[in-house]
């Protein structure tokens, strides 16, 4: 079993657990490391190991990894398209939303421009939207039910809330 050096671990760590119980798993941080290790990986009886369960061990973009259900067959696409996304960037949040709502991994990059992100709650978004679109006199602002307006936009499919480790964001679009 290989281990990563403890002095300077990479930002993201994965683990390949073989389905073969006679083989040891290994940690990796890049697709090149995974490919190099699996190319010559043998079990205790000298047979090649070919099937792995890929696990996310440490890093920032675990939610997207889990939402996409990354496995051995999608690992290359993960590294080429999604692994480098910054978890605080809007594209990461859009990809997470699409993955959690059943979009195919191959379709997600094309759909990112169809969505917009609002950092805050749906009610805060409703409050800002009304302030920007309508000239509501000050005394009447207290009578507007922003929560109901946000709820109606959610029910109409105009927006959805996405809970992340860094808070709630609103995803706008279809």
């Amino acid at each position: 079993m290989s281990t990563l050096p403890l002095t300077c671990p990479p930002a993201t760590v994965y683990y390949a657990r073989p389905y073969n119980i006679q083989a040891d798993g290994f940690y990796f941080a890049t697709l090149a490391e995974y490919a190099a290790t699996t190319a010559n990986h043998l079990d205790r009886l000298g047979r090649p190991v070919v099937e792995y369960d890929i696990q996310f061990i440490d890093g920032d973009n675990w939610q997207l990894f889990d939402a996409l259900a990354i496995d051995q067959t999608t690992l290359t696409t993960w590294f080429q398209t999604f692994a480098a996304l910054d978890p605080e960037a809007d594209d990461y949040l859009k990809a997470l939303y699409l993955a959690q709502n059943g979009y195919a991994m191959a379709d997600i990059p094309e759909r990112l421009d169809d969505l917009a992100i609002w950092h805050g709650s749906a009610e805060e978004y409703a409050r800002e939207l009304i302030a920007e679109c309508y000239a509501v006199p000050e005394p009447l602002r207290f009578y507007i039910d922003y929560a109901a307006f946000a709820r109606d936009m959610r029910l109409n499919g105009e927006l959805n809330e996405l809970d992340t480790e860094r808070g709630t964001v609103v995803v706008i679009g279809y």
Side-chain angles (χ1 to χ4, degrees), residues 117-163:
I117 299 292
W118 167 268
H119 295 273
S121 70
E123 188 172 339
E124 293 168 342
Y125 175 74
R127 186 177 305 276
E128 182 74 20
L129 183 65
I130 290 173
E132 285 183 10
C133 295
Y134 303 103
V136 180
E138 188 66 35
L140 296 179
R141 290 178 195 232
F142 300 106
Y143 293 99
I144 298 174
D145 189 351
Y146 296 104
F149 187 62
R151 183 196 67 234
D152 289 347
M153 285 191 294
R154 275 196 306 272
L155 292 173
N156 290 336
E158 297 167 33
L159 61 84
N160 287 291
E161 287 184 311
L162 176 66
D163 293 322

mmCIF file of all heavy atoms in Angstrom, residues 117-163:
data_model
loop_
_atom_site.group_PDB
_atom_site.id
_atom_site.type_symbol
_atom_site.label_atom_id
_atom_site.label_comp_id
_atom_site.label_asym_id
_atom_site.label_seq_id
_atom_site.Cartn_x
_atom_site.Cartn_y
_atom_site.Cartn_z
ATOM 1 N N ILE A 117 -25.999 32.616 -10.457
ATOM 2 C CA ILE A 117 -25.904 32.366 -9.019
ATOM 3 C C ILE A 117 -26.098 33.678 -8.261
ATOM 4 O O ILE A 117 -25.509 34.702 -8.593
ATOM 5 C CB ILE A 117 -24.533 31.754 -8.654
ATOM 6 C CG1 ILE A 117 -24.334 30.414 -9.349
ATOM 7 C CG2 ILE A 117 -24.366 31.627 -7.146
ATOM 8 C CD1 ILE A 117 -25.243 29.305 -8.871
ATOM 9 N N TRP A 118 -26.904 33.625 -7.222
ATOM 10 C CA TRP A 118 -27.098 34.740 -6.294
ATOM 11 C C TRP A 118 -26.603 34.241 -4.939
ATOM 12 O O TRP A 118 -27.079 33.230 -4.446
ATOM 13 C CB TRP A 118 -28.570 35.137 -6.222
ATOM 14 C CG TRP A 118 -28.880 36.052 -5.088
ATOM 15 C CD1 TRP A 118 -29.286 35.687 -3.842
ATOM 16 C CD2 TRP A 118 -28.807 37.472 -5.073
ATOM 17 N NE1 TRP A 118 -29.462 36.784 -3.051
ATOM 18 C CE2 TRP A 118 -29.170 37.905 -3.795
ATOM 19 C CE3 TRP A 118 -28.460 38.424 -6.026
ATOM 20 C CZ2 TRP A 118 -29.207 39.242 -3.444
ATOM 21 C CZ3 TRP A 118 -28.495 39.756 -5.672
ATOM 22 C CH2 TRP A 118 -28.865 40.147 -4.387
ATOM 23 N N HIS A 119 -25.673 34.925 -4.335
ATOM 24 C CA HIS A 119 -25.126 34.515 -3.045
ATOM 25 C C HIS A 119 -26.003 35.082 -1.927
ATOM 26 O O HIS A 119 -25.933 36.261 -1.612
ATOM 27 C CB HIS A 119 -23.674 34.965 -2.912
ATOM 28 C CG HIS A 119 -22.786 34.290 -3.894
ATOM 29 N ND1 HIS A 119 -22.193 33.076 -3.649
ATOM 30 C CD2 HIS A 119 -22.435 34.629 -5.156
ATOM 31 C CE1 HIS A 119 -21.487 32.710 -4.709
ATOM 32 N NE2 HIS A 119 -21.618 33.633 -5.628
ATOM 33 N N GLY A 120 -26.823 34.223 -1.371
ATOM 34 C CA GLY A 120 -27.757 34.602 -0.321
ATOM 35 C C GLY A 120 -28.993 33.724 -0.396
ATOM 36 O O GLY A 120 -29.049 32.771 -1.169
ATOM 37 N N SER A 121 -29.990 34.060 0.373
ATOM 38 C CA SER A 121 -31.213 33.257 0.411
ATOM 39 C C SER A 121 -32.189 33.708 -0.674
ATOM 40 O O SER A 121 -32.040 34.788 -1.256
ATOM 41 C CB SER A 121 -31.878 33.381 1.782
ATOM 42 O OG SER A 121 -32.403 34.684 1.939
ATOM 43 N N ALA A 122 -33.200 32.898 -0.900
ATOM 44 C CA ALA A 122 -34.223 33.234 -1.888
ATOM 45 C C ALA A 122 -34.985 34.492 -1.463
ATOM 46 O O ALA A 122 -35.351 35.324 -2.300
ATOM 47 C CB ALA A 122 -35.176 32.061 -2.071
ATOM 48 N N GLU A 123 -35.212 34.651 -0.182
ATOM 49 C CA GLU A 123 -35.917 35.840 0.298
ATOM 50 C C GLU A 123 -35.081 37.105 0.065
ATOM 51 O O GLU A 123 -35.611 38.139 -0.322
ATOM 52 C CB GLU A 123 -36.264 35.694 1.775
ATOM 53 C CG GLU A 123 -37.149 36.795 2.285
ATOM 54 C CD GLU A 123 -37.647 36.562 3.699
ATOM 55 O OE1 GLU A 123 -37.648 35.407 4.161
ATOM 56 O OE2 GLU A 123 -38.024 37.563 4.337
ATOM 57 N N GLU A 124 -33.780 37.019 0.286
ATOM 58 C CA GLU A 124 -32.905 38.164 0.014
ATOM 59 C C GLU A 124 -32.902 38.502 -1.477
ATOM 60 O O GLU A 124 -32.894 39.673 -1.854
ATOM 61 C CB GLU A 124 -31.478 37.867 0.486
ATOM 62 C CG GLU A 124 -31.342 37.754 1.985
ATOM 63 C CD GLU A 124 -30.005 37.168 2.414
ATOM 64 O OE1 GLU A 124 -29.314 36.536 1.584
ATOM 65 O OE2 GLU A 124 -29.658 37.333 3.590
ATOM 66 N N TYR A 125 -32.920 37.458 -2.305
ATOM 67 C CA TYR A 125 -32.981 37.678 -3.753
ATOM 68 C C TYR A 125 -34.291 38.374 -4.129
ATOM 69 O O TYR A 125 -34.290 39.323 -4.930
ATOM 70 C CB TYR A 125 -32.848 36.356 -4.506
ATOM 71 C CG TYR A 125 -33.019 36.510 -5.992
ATOM 72 C CD1 TYR A 125 -32.020 37.080 -6.775
ATOM 73 C CD2 TYR A 125 -34.188 36.099 -6.616
ATOM 74 C CE1 TYR A 125 -32.176 37.242 -8.141
ATOM 75 C CE2 TYR A 125 -34.356 36.256 -7.986
ATOM 76 C CZ TYR A 125 -33.349 36.822 -8.737
ATOM 77 O OH TYR A 125 -33.508 36.990 -10.091
ATOM 78 N N ALA A 126 -35.412 37.925 -3.555
ATOM 79 C CA ALA A 126 -36.715 38.537 -3.837
ATOM 80 C C ALA A 126 -36.719 40.008 -3.417
ATOM 81 O O ALA A 126 -37.223 40.871 -4.147
ATOM 82 C CB ALA A 126 -37.818 37.769 -3.118
ATOM 83 N N ARG A 127 -36.154 40.293 -2.274
ATOM 84 C CA ARG A 127 -36.086 41.675 -1.778
ATOM 85 C C ARG A 127 -35.275 42.551 -2.754
ATOM 86 O O ARG A 127 -35.694 43.649 -3.103
ATOM 87 C CB ARG A 127 -35.453 41.686 -0.389
ATOM 88 C CG ARG A 127 -35.452 43.024 0.294
ATOM 89 C CD ARG A 127 -34.858 42.925 1.699
ATOM 90 N NE ARG A 127 -35.516 41.939 2.532
ATOM 91 C CZ ARG A 127 -36.636 42.147 3.241
ATOM 92 N NH1 ARG A 127 -37.203 43.333 3.188
ATOM 93 N NH2 ARG A 127 -37.158 41.198 3.973
ATOM 94 N N GLU A 128 -34.142 42.050 -3.195
ATOM 95 C CA GLU A 128 -33.289 42.791 -4.130
ATOM 96 C C GLU A 128 -33.966 42.955 -5.493
ATOM 97 O O GLU A 128 -33.900 44.024 -6.106
ATOM 98 C CB GLU A 128 -31.949 42.068 -4.292
ATOM 99 C CG GLU A 128 -30.965 42.771 -5.191
ATOM 100 C CD GLU A 128 -30.342 43.992 -4.544
ATOM 101 O OE1 GLU A 128 -30.352 44.106 -3.309
ATOM 102 O OE2 GLU A 128 -29.847 44.851 -5.294
ATOM 103 N N LEU A 129 -34.628 41.921 -5.960
ATOM 104 C CA LEU A 129 -35.307 41.972 -7.252
ATOM 105 C C LEU A 129 -36.413 43.020 -7.251
ATOM 106 O O LEU A 129 -36.525 43.820 -8.191
ATOM 107 C CB LEU A 129 -35.886 40.597 -7.602
ATOM 108 C CG LEU A 129 -36.573 40.467 -8.951
ATOM 109 C CD1 LEU A 129 -35.567 40.673 -10.078
ATOM 110 C CD2 LEU A 129 -37.230 39.097 -9.078
ATOM 111 N N ILE A 130 -37.210 43.041 -6.215
ATOM 112 C CA ILE A 130 -38.289 44.026 -6.122
ATOM 113 C C ILE A 130 -37.719 45.444 -6.019
ATOM 114 O O ILE A 130 -38.220 46.369 -6.648
ATOM 115 C CB ILE A 130 -39.230 43.693 -4.946
ATOM 116 C CG1 ILE A 130 -40.025 42.438 -5.297
ATOM 117 C CG2 ILE A 130 -40.148 44.854 -4.628
ATOM 118 C CD1 ILE A 130 -40.875 41.889 -4.177
ATOM 119 N N ALA A 131 -36.641 45.601 -5.266
ATOM 120 C CA ALA A 131 -36.027 46.933 -5.126
ATOM 121 C C ALA A 131 -35.475 47.441 -6.456
ATOM 122 O O ALA A 131 -35.552 48.637 -6.746
ATOM 123 C CB ALA A 131 -34.920 46.881 -4.079
ATOM 124 N N GLU A 132 -34.929 46.524 -7.270
ATOM 125 C CA GLU A 132 -34.360 46.934 -8.554
ATOM 126 C C GLU A 132 -35.424 47.171 -9.626
ATOM 127 O O GLU A 132 -35.238 48.002 -10.507
ATOM 128 C CB GLU A 132 -33.365 45.879 -9.053
ATOM 129 C CG GLU A 132 -32.056 45.887 -8.325
ATOM 130 C CD GLU A 132 -31.071 44.868 -8.897
ATOM 131 O OE1 GLU A 132 -31.342 44.290 -9.969
ATOM 132 O OE2 GLU A 132 -30.044 44.650 -8.253
ATOM 133 N N CYS A 133 -36.516 46.425 -9.571
ATOM 134 C CA CYS A 133 -37.509 46.472 -10.650
ATOM 135 C C CYS A 133 -38.667 47.436 -10.402
ATOM 136 O O CYS A 133 -39.318 47.854 -11.350
ATOM 137 C CB CYS A 133 -38.075 45.072 -10.894
ATOM 138 S SG CYS A 133 -36.840 43.920 -11.515
ATOM 139 N N TYR A 134 -38.945 47.732 -9.150
ATOM 140 C CA TYR A 134 -40.119 48.548 -8.841
ATOM 141 C C TYR A 134 -39.738 49.705 -7.921
ATOM 142 O O TYR A 134 -38.914 49.569 -7.041
ATOM 143 C CB TYR A 134 -41.207 47.702 -8.156
ATOM 144 C CG TYR A 134 -41.627 46.514 -8.983
ATOM 145 C CD1 TYR A 134 -41.179 45.236 -8.666
ATOM 146 C CD2 TYR A 134 -42.450 46.665 -10.086
ATOM 147 C CE1 TYR A 134 -41.554 44.141 -9.421
ATOM 148 C CE2 TYR A 134 -42.830 45.579 -10.855
ATOM 149 C CZ TYR A 134 -42.372 44.323 -10.516
ATOM 150 O OH TYR A 134 -42.742 43.248 -11.274
ATOM 151 N N ALA A 135 -40.401 50.820 -8.126
ATOM 152 C CA ALA A 135 -40.207 51.976 -7.249
ATOM 153 C C ALA A 135 -41.280 51.918 -6.166
ATOM 154 O O ALA A 135 -42.329 52.542 -6.270
ATOM 155 C CB ALA A 135 -40.304 53.264 -8.044
ATOM 156 N N VAL A 136 -41.014 51.130 -5.133
ATOM 157 C CA VAL A 136 -41.980 50.967 -4.045
ATOM 158 C C VAL A 136 -41.755 52.081 -3.025
ATOM 159 O O VAL A 136 -40.650 52.232 -2.504
ATOM 160 C CB VAL A 136 -41.812 49.584 -3.377
ATOM 161 C CG1 VAL A 136 -42.802 49.408 -2.238
ATOM 162 C CG2 VAL A 136 -41.943 48.469 -4.392
ATOM 163 N N PRO A 137 -42.797 52.840 -2.714
ATOM 164 C CA PRO A 137 -42.641 53.894 -1.706
ATOM 165 C C PRO A 137 -42.243 53.298 -0.346
ATOM 166 O O PRO A 137 -42.659 52.190 -0.001
ATOM 167 C CB PRO A 137 -44.035 54.525 -1.630
ATOM 168 C CG PRO A 137 -44.710 54.129 -2.895
ATOM 169 C CD PRO A 137 -44.123 52.825 -3.303
ATOM 170 N N GLU A 138 -41.455 54.030 0.378
ATOM 171 C CA GLU A 138 -40.916 53.554 1.666
ATOM 172 C C GLU A 138 -41.983 53.011 2.618
ATOM 173 O O GLU A 138 -41.806 51.932 3.191
ATOM 174 C CB GLU A 138 -40.105 54.676 2.328
ATOM 175 C CG GLU A 138 -39.352 54.245 3.567
ATOM 176 C CD GLU A 138 -38.245 53.236 3.261
ATOM 177 O OE1 GLU A 138 -37.619 53.319 2.200
ATOM 178 O OE2 GLU A 138 -38.010 52.365 4.122
ATOM 179 N N PRO A 139 -43.102 53.679 2.826
ATOM 180 C CA PRO A 139 -44.095 53.159 3.773
ATOM 181 C C PRO A 139 -44.704 51.815 3.337
ATOM 182 O O PRO A 139 -45.135 51.031 4.172
ATOM 183 C CB PRO A 139 -45.183 54.231 3.815
ATOM 184 C CG PRO A 139 -44.559 55.465 3.280
ATOM 185 C CD PRO A 139 -43.476 55.020 2.353
ATOM 186 N N LEU A 140 -44.715 51.544 2.032
ATOM 187 C CA LEU A 140 -45.326 50.300 1.551
ATOM 188 C C LEU A 140 -44.378 49.101 1.574
ATOM 189 O O LEU A 140 -44.817 47.970 1.476
ATOM 190 C CB LEU A 140 -45.863 50.499 0.129
ATOM 191 C CG LEU A 140 -46.995 51.504 -0.025
ATOM 192 C CD1 LEU A 140 -47.395 51.620 -1.475
ATOM 193 C CD2 LEU A 140 -48.180 51.117 0.838
ATOM 194 N N ARG A 141 -43.089 49.338 1.706
ATOM 195 C CA ARG A 141 -42.101 48.241 1.683
ATOM 196 C C ARG A 141 -42.338 47.233 2.806
ATOM 197 O O ARG A 141 -42.028 46.062 2.654
ATOM 198 C CB ARG A 141 -40.685 48.800 1.783
ATOM 199 C CG ARG A 141 -40.285 49.530 0.549
ATOM 200 C CD ARG A 141 -38.898 50.115 0.683
ATOM 201 N NE ARG A 141 -38.729 51.093 -0.373
ATOM 202 C CZ ARG A 141 -37.712 51.093 -1.208
ATOM 203 N NH1 ARG A 141 -36.769 50.215 -1.092
ATOM 204 N NH2 ARG A 141 -37.649 52.006 -2.145
ATOM 205 N N PHE A 142 -42.905 47.676 3.899
ATOM 206 C CA PHE A 142 -43.126 46.781 5.036
ATOM 207 C C PHE A 142 -44.296 45.828 4.802
ATOM 208 O O PHE A 142 -44.472 44.874 5.533
ATOM 209 C CB PHE A 142 -43.350 47.601 6.312
ATOM 210 C CG PHE A 142 -42.189 48.476 6.648
ATOM 211 C CD1 PHE A 142 -42.252 49.849 6.447
ATOM 212 C CD2 PHE A 142 -41.005 47.930 7.123
ATOM 213 C CE1 PHE A 142 -41.173 50.661 6.746
ATOM 214 C CE2 PHE A 142 -39.918 48.728 7.424
ATOM 215 C CZ PHE A 142 -40.000 50.098 7.233
ATOM 216 N N TYR A 143 -45.103 46.102 3.791
ATOM 217 C CA TYR A 143 -46.278 45.278 3.518
ATOM 218 C C TYR A 143 -46.020 44.201 2.460
ATOM 219 O O TYR A 143 -46.882 43.380 2.203
ATOM 220 C CB TYR A 143 -47.459 46.165 3.078
ATOM 221 C CG TYR A 143 -47.946 47.037 4.189
ATOM 222 C CD1 TYR A 143 -47.547 48.367 4.283
ATOM 223 C CD2 TYR A 143 -48.787 46.530 5.178
ATOM 224 C CE1 TYR A 143 -47.978 49.167 5.322
ATOM 225 C CE2 TYR A 143 -49.219 47.324 6.218
ATOM 226 C CZ TYR A 143 -48.821 48.642 6.283
ATOM 227 O OH TYR A 143 -49.246 49.421 7.312
ATOM 228 N N ILE A 144 -44.868 44.230 1.861
ATOM 229 C CA ILE A 144 -44.540 43.231 0.834
ATOM 230 C C ILE A 144 -44.068 41.956 1.527
ATOM 231 O O ILE A 144 -43.183 41.984 2.379
ATOM 232 C CB ILE A 144 -43.460 43.759 -0.130
ATOM 233 C CG1 ILE A 144 -43.990 44.984 -0.859
ATOM 234 C CG2 ILE A 144 -43.047 42.677 -1.115
ATOM 235 C CD1 ILE A 144 -42.968 45.671 -1.730
ATOM 236 N N ASP A 145 -44.645 40.849 1.133
ATOM 237 C CA ASP A 145 -44.271 39.545 1.688
ATOM 238 C C ASP A 145 -43.175 38.934 0.800
ATOM 239 O O ASP A 145 -43.453 38.220 -0.158
ATOM 240 C CB ASP A 145 -45.493 38.634 1.760
ATOM 241 C CG ASP A 145 -45.223 37.355 2.530
ATOM 242 O OD1 ASP A 145 -44.047 37.091 2.871
ATOM 243 O OD2 ASP A 145 -46.194 36.619 2.793
ATOM 244 N N TYR A 146 -41.924 39.238 1.138
ATOM 245 C CA TYR A 146 -40.797 38.775 0.337
ATOM 246 C C TYR A 146 -40.658 37.256 0.392
ATOM 247 O O TYR A 146 -40.276 36.628 -0.591
ATOM 248 C CB TYR A 146 -39.498 39.444 0.801
ATOM 249 C CG TYR A 146 -39.507 40.937 0.599
ATOM 250 C CD1 TYR A 146 -39.687 41.803 1.666
ATOM 251 C CD2 TYR A 146 -39.331 41.480 -0.664
ATOM 252 C CE1 TYR A 146 -39.694 43.176 1.476
ATOM 253 C CE2 TYR A 146 -39.345 42.860 -0.865
ATOM 254 C CZ TYR A 146 -39.533 43.691 0.213
ATOM 255 O OH TYR A 146 -39.537 45.042 0.017
ATOM 256 N N ALA A 147 -40.961 36.666 1.519
ATOM 257 C CA ALA A 147 -40.874 35.201 1.653
ATOM 258 C C ALA A 147 -41.872 34.524 0.713
ATOM 259 O O ALA A 147 -41.550 33.516 0.072
ATOM 260 C CB ALA A 147 -41.128 34.781 3.097
ATOM 261 N N ALA A 148 -43.083 35.058 0.617
ATOM 262 C CA ALA A 148 -44.095 34.488 -0.280
ATOM 263 C C ALA A 148 -43.683 34.674 -1.737
ATOM 264 O O ALA A 148 -43.871 33.774 -2.564
ATOM 265 C CB ALA A 148 -45.451 35.131 -0.028
ATOM 266 N N PHE A 149 -43.113 35.832 -2.052
ATOM 267 C CA PHE A 149 -42.644 36.075 -3.412
ATOM 268 C C PHE A 149 -41.540 35.088 -3.776
ATOM 269 O O PHE A 149 -41.548 34.509 -4.872
ATOM 270 C CB PHE A 149 -42.164 37.527 -3.531
ATOM 271 C CG PHE A 149 -41.804 37.939 -4.922
ATOM 272 C CD1 PHE A 149 -42.746 37.936 -5.941
ATOM 273 C CD2 PHE A 149 -40.516 38.350 -5.218
ATOM 274 C CE1 PHE A 149 -42.412 38.321 -7.230
ATOM 275 C CE2 PHE A 149 -40.175 38.738 -6.499
ATOM 276 C CZ PHE A 149 -41.118 38.727 -7.506
ATOM 277 N N ALA A 150 -40.604 34.854 -2.859
ATOM 278 C CA ALA A 150 -39.521 33.886 -3.087
ATOM 279 C C ALA A 150 -40.087 32.479 -3.228
ATOM 280 O O ALA A 150 -39.655 31.707 -4.094
ATOM 281 C CB ALA A 150 -38.509 33.948 -1.941
ATOM 282 N N ARG A 151 -41.056 32.129 -2.377
ATOM 283 C CA ARG A 151 -41.684 30.812 -2.466
ATOM 284 C C ARG A 151 -42.351 30.614 -3.820
ATOM 285 O O ARG A 151 -42.220 29.565 -4.457
ATOM 286 C CB ARG A 151 -42.715 30.643 -1.353
ATOM 287 C CG ARG A 151 -43.361 29.261 -1.335
ATOM 288 C CD ARG A 151 -44.630 29.190 -0.522
ATOM 289 N NE ARG A 151 -45.655 30.003 -1.195
ATOM 290 C CZ ARG A 151 -46.343 30.975 -0.613
ATOM 291 N NH1 ARG A 151 -46.133 31.293 0.644
ATOM 292 N NH2 ARG A 151 -47.247 31.664 -1.291
ATOM 293 N N ASP A 152 -43.051 31.630 -4.305
ATOM 294 C CA ASP A 152 -43.711 31.541 -5.608
ATOM 295 C C ASP A 152 -42.694 31.358 -6.738
ATOM 296 O O ASP A 152 -42.933 30.589 -7.667
ATOM 297 C CB ASP A 152 -44.565 32.780 -5.862
ATOM 298 C CG ASP A 152 -45.806 32.818 -4.994
ATOM 299 O OD1 ASP A 152 -46.137 31.780 -4.370
ATOM 300 O OD2 ASP A 152 -46.437 33.895 -4.918
ATOM 301 N N MET A 153 -41.552 32.050 -6.647
ATOM 302 C CA MET A 153 -40.515 31.885 -7.673
ATOM 303 C C MET A 153 -39.937 30.471 -7.627
ATOM 304 O O MET A 153 -39.634 29.896 -8.670
ATOM 305 C CB MET A 153 -39.413 32.932 -7.504
ATOM 306 C CG MET A 153 -39.842 34.317 -7.960
ATOM 307 S SD MET A 153 -38.480 35.502 -8.074
ATOM 308 C CE MET A 153 -38.005 35.667 -6.371
ATOM 309 N N ARG A 154 -39.791 29.908 -6.422
ATOM 310 C CA ARG A 154 -39.325 28.519 -6.305
ATOM 311 C C ARG A 154 -40.340 27.561 -6.907
ATOM 312 O O ARG A 154 -39.991 26.639 -7.641
ATOM 313 C CB ARG A 154 -39.053 28.159 -4.849
ATOM 314 C CG ARG A 154 -37.686 28.552 -4.351
ATOM 315 C CD ARG A 154 -37.325 27.848 -3.046
ATOM 316 N NE ARG A 154 -38.315 28.033 -2.004
ATOM 317 C CZ ARG A 154 -38.338 29.050 -1.140
ATOM 318 N NH1 ARG A 154 -37.412 29.979 -1.196
ATOM 319 N NH2 ARG A 154 -39.259 29.127 -0.219
ATOM 320 N N LEU A 155 -41.618 27.761 -6.590
ATOM 321 C CA LEU A 155 -42.666 26.887 -7.108
ATOM 322 C C LEU A 155 -42.800 26.988 -8.625
ATOM 323 O O LEU A 155 -43.133 26.004 -9.291
ATOM 324 C CB LEU A 155 -44.009 27.199 -6.435
ATOM 325 C CG LEU A 155 -44.092 26.837 -4.958
ATOM 326 C CD1 LEU A 155 -45.403 27.339 -4.363
ATOM 327 C CD2 LEU A 155 -43.943 25.346 -4.749
ATOM 328 N N ASN A 156 -42.554 28.155 -9.176
ATOM 329 C CA ASN A 156 -42.612 28.345 -10.626
ATOM 330 C C ASN A 156 -41.367 27.828 -11.334
ATOM 331 O O ASN A 156 -41.308 27.805 -12.556
ATOM 332 C CB ASN A 156 -42.791 29.833 -10.968
ATOM 333 C CG ASN A 156 -44.156 30.338 -10.608
ATOM 334 O OD1 ASN A 156 -45.108 29.574 -10.529
ATOM 335 N ND2 ASN A 156 -44.263 31.640 -10.383
ATOM 336 N N GLY A 157 -40.346 27.453 -10.577
ATOM 337 C CA GLY A 157 -39.111 26.948 -11.168
ATOM 338 C C GLY A 157 -38.161 28.028 -11.626
ATOM 339 O O GLY A 157 -37.198 27.742 -12.339
ATOM 340 N N GLU A 158 -38.421 29.259 -11.240
ATOM 341 C CA GLU A 158 -37.560 30.363 -11.649
ATOM 342 C C GLU A 158 -36.244 30.376 -10.880
ATOM 343 O O GLU A 158 -35.236 30.883 -11.372
ATOM 344 C CB GLU A 158 -38.275 31.693 -11.447
ATOM 345 C CG GLU A 158 -39.521 31.831 -12.293
ATOM 346 C CD GLU A 158 -40.387 32.995 -11.863
ATOM 347 O OE1 GLU A 158 -39.834 34.010 -11.397
ATOM 348 O OE2 GLU A 158 -41.613 32.886 -11.996
ATOM 349 N N LEU A 159 -36.264 29.845 -9.669
ATOM 350 C CA LEU A 159 -35.048 29.776 -8.871
ATOM 351 C C LEU A 159 -35.128 28.599 -7.912
ATOM 352 O O LEU A 159 -36.196 28.058 -7.647
ATOM 353 C CB LEU A 159 -34.797 31.092 -8.118
ATOM 354 C CG LEU A 159 -35.840 31.578 -7.108
ATOM 355 C CD1 LEU A 159 -35.658 30.942 -5.743
ATOM 356 C CD2 LEU A 159 -35.725 33.084 -6.987
ATOM 357 N N ASN A 160 -33.977 28.198 -7.432
ATOM 358 C CA ASN A 160 -33.861 27.130 -6.440
ATOM 359 C C ASN A 160 -32.742 27.496 -5.485
ATOM 360 O O ASN A 160 -31.776 28.146 -5.869
ATOM 361 C CB ASN A 160 -33.542 25.791 -7.108
ATOM 362 C CG ASN A 160 -34.725 25.227 -7.836
ATOM 363 O OD1 ASN A 160 -35.697 24.828 -7.222
ATOM 364 N ND2 ASN A 160 -34.655 25.213 -9.152
ATOM 365 N N GLU A 161 -32.869 27.035 -4.250
ATOM 366 C CA GLU A 161 -31.803 27.255 -3.275
ATOM 367 C C GLU A 161 -30.903 26.031 -3.243
ATOM 368 O O GLU A 161 -31.371 24.901 -3.344
ATOM 369 C CB GLU A 161 -32.375 27.523 -1.888
ATOM 370 C CG GLU A 161 -32.995 28.898 -1.763
ATOM 371 C CD GLU A 161 -33.479 29.208 -0.368
ATOM 372 O OE1 GLU A 161 -34.189 28.374 0.216
ATOM 373 O OE2 GLU A 161 -33.138 30.286 0.136
ATOM 374 N N LEU A 162 -29.616 26.290 -3.105
ATOM 375 C CA LEU A 162 -28.616 25.234 -3.038
ATOM 376 C C LEU A 162 -27.818 25.438 -1.760
ATOM 377 O O LEU A 162 -27.211 26.497 -1.566
ATOM 378 C CB LEU A 162 -27.692 25.301 -4.262
ATOM 379 C CG LEU A 162 -26.521 24.341 -4.316
ATOM 380 C CD1 LEU A 162 -27.010 22.896 -4.426
ATOM 381 C CD2 LEU A 162 -25.616 24.678 -5.487
ATOM 382 N N ASP A 163 -27.832 24.444 -0.885
ATOM 383 C CA ASP A 163 -27.069 24.522 0.361
ATOM 384 C C ASP A 163 -25.675 23.953 0.131
ATOM 385 O O ASP A 163 -25.524 22.831 -0.357
ATOM 386 C CB ASP A 163 -27.775 23.751 1.473
ATOM 387 C CG ASP A 163 -29.084 24.395 1.876
ATOM 388 O OD1 ASP A 163 -29.133 25.636 1.898
ATOM 389 O OD2 ASP A 163 -30.056 23.670 2.144
#
